[in-house]
Amino acid sequence: MSNREIIDYILSNKLKKDEVIKETCIYYDSEESEEVMYIFNNETDLWDDNGKISITSFCDVLPQLSGNIAYKYTYEIISKEQAQKELRQKENLREIERLKSKLSILEEEVKDSE
């Protein structure tokens, strides 16, 4: 969904309490990267990692001074359970990377002590 489609979806009261808006931001810099934000709904407010948000958070992407668009937002409606599952997986991957880093540090310490 585009930003206008998600605004229409919200304003039409189609967003249910057990639904989450998955916001994906694709950055067009030297290498394309993406960031995902989950926007939860408690039937009175929308909120994300930064707290309560308003409908104006879904604004149009403005080009940079050079005329290039540096990023693009897309939206998807998923279940609350699916969002929680994706967040757990993301956290597990972060923990794996942290442990790999710690393991490599410990391996270096063992090599240095020999």
Side-chain angles (χ1 to χ4, degrees):
M1 294 180 158
S2 69
N3 60 338
R4 296 192 189 260
E5 290 170 324
I6 197 66
I7 289 171
D8 288 342
Y9 191 84
I10 294 166
L11 292 177
S12 300
N13 290 325
K14 293 179 182 175
L15 186 64
K16 306 292 183 242
K17 186 176 183 176
D18 62 339
E19 292 180 326
V20 173
I21 300 169
K22 181 179 178 180
E23 176 185 78
T24 305
C25 182
I26 301 170
Y27 295 96
Y28 301 106
D29 46 11
S30 58
E31 62 179 62
E32 198 172 292
S33 60
E34 89 177 23
E35 184 177 306
V36 175
M37 177 75 74
Y38 296 92
I39 301 167
F40 291 86
N41 170 31
N42 66 4
E43 292 192 276
T44 56
D45 295 317
L46 296 173
W47 52 275
D48 63 14
D49 291 346
N50 301 316
K52 184 177 169 183
I53 63 171
S54 71
I55 200 77
T56 59
S57 300
F58 305 99
C59 60
D60 285 331
V61 175
L62 300 174
Q64 296 177 326
L65 293 176
S66 65
N68 296 329
I69 294 180
Y71 52 90
K72 178 184 178 186
Y73 288 98
T74 58
Y75 302 93
E76 179 182 354
I77 304 298
I78 62 174
S79 70
K80 191 174 187 177
E81 293 80 23
Q82 178 66 27
Q84 290 169 334
K85 179 181 174 185
E86 289 179 16
L87 286 167
R88 278 191 306 274
Q89 287 175 338
K90 193 175 177 180
E91 186 58 38
N92 288 343
L93 289 173
R94 266 194 231 122
E95 182 66 12
I96 288 169
E97 289 304 314
R98 187 187 70 76
L99 291 171
K100 282 181 180 178
S101 175
K102 187 172 183 174
L103 179 61
S104 67
I105 291 169
L106 292 172
E107 286 174 338
E108 283 297 316
E109 287 177 6
V110 168
K111 281 182 184 177
D112 292 343
S113 67
E114 293 177 346

